[in-house]
Amino acid sequence: MKQYDVIIIGGGAAGFFAAINIGALYPSLKVAILERGKDVLGKVKVSGGGRCNVTHAEFVPQELTTYYPRGEKELLGPFHTFMTGDTMGWFEDRGVALKIEEDGRIFPVSNNSQTIIDCFLSEANKHDVEVLTNQLVLSFKKTNEDWEIETKTDHFLANKVIVATGSNPKIWSFLQQLNHTIIKPVPSLFTFNIKDDRIKDIPGVVAQNVTVKVVGSNLESSGPLLITHWGMSAPSILKLSAFGALELAKRDYKFNIEVNFINQDNDVVLSSLKDIKQELSKKTVLKVTQFDLPKRLWKTLVMASDITEETRWADLNKAQLEALSNQLTKAVFKVDGKSTFKEEFVTAGGVDLKEVNFKNYKSKLYDNLYFAGEIINVDAVTGGFNFQNAWTSAYIVAKNLVS
């Protein structure tokens, strides 16, 4: 049986960050990472389109917490301990230059996730962290004061265990056997499947300032919207899917959305259209794009308003003006299912937050069991926030491991 002071189950972002910081803070401890696959840091490699969106340029803890549909209240204290600025400093102290993009996302200057992976592997090596791959955990249980872990190939004994396996149903089931409550997982961060003639022929079109509401609920979000081959995506949709994860699961991902493509009030737009009718009376409606919309989107919304290609502004009647105003500001689309990109997959669910001490990320049921990352019921919208949760939780575990 192989014996360690600390075993981290899970060789992803949170697992590595915990291991490296433990190695740096407590050099005398014998630390190992157990990874079920043949490669570590797989999600880091593919995140952010292969660039690794390490965090977000939001530097006020109270503001940062608002990006977490689950965990907002609990993360306030942890973010006062290890924040986005601390993340940037940590990487830059280790030679990884970072940059802030216009939308606030933070990436390595190299634009390559391998930079982050190389940093982690180098730091793990520097601090004598053993990284053991192909270690599928079959069971872990309390034996006196220690934890006994059985994998497909080995037996381990550790004084402290950190679970950092993300959304792993098998590990959740082991934790349930240890009397931890697991909040049933549902997908978060997904795109909407929509079949609609208005968007069928315009994949790739982006409207920049859109508000999307789920009809019959309080769910609403704003931001860019991307028309795709299968429906709609981009931040406005992803944010809605994250904050609505539980509600949309209840609806079996079949619901209606109301889209305001220009984020303006319907009455104001109708008034503007009447003014445009006077100003551009001799021009055809289709050829003079309004409200800074992409041309292809303008065209499809005009056609959906019962306006032909030849219709001039002067010829628009009241019903057509109202129809166009409605298409621009409250177009209803039927959503029938969701799509997820596996590498970007995020789950709402996990260890019940009531059973975690957020001062040290220790289990409230076991004195030497800790959690880091998405194993607990915390998730965020897209933009680097899920990684920030991983770094913060892992750092706090490391800092409080010996107290």
Side-chain angles (χ1 to χ4, degrees), residues 20 46 57 64 66 120 231 233 240 264 274 302 330 359 374:
I20 292 163
V46 298
L64 184 62
T66 64
F120 281 175
S233 184
L240 199 63
Q264 291 187 37
K274 288 173 181 173
V302 167
K330 46 185 186 183
K359 289 192 170 93
E374 285 178 43

Side-chain angles (χ1 to χ4, degrees), residues 57-119:
E58 174 52 75
F59 301 106
V60 179
Q62 286 87 344
E63 292 299 316
L64 184 62
T65 61
T66 64
Y67 294 91
Y68 296 82
R70 281 142 295 272
E72 178 177 354
K73 178 168 61 78
E74 290 80 4
L75 288 172
L76 185 58
F79 284 154
H80 274 96
T81 300
F82 193 86
M83 188 57 179
T84 48
D86 300 303
T87 298
M88 294 182 77
W90 190 96
F91 281 108
E92 285 169 355
D93 286 349
R94 287 155 183 81
V96 177
L98 300 175
K99 60 174 179 174
I100 302 174
E101 300 202 336
E102 271 186 36
D103 60 3
R105 292 184 301 163
I106 297 173
F107 292 92
V109 169
S110 67
N111 275 330
N112 191 338
S113 58
Q114 195 61 42
T115 305
I116 305 298
I117 293 169
D118 291 345
C119 169

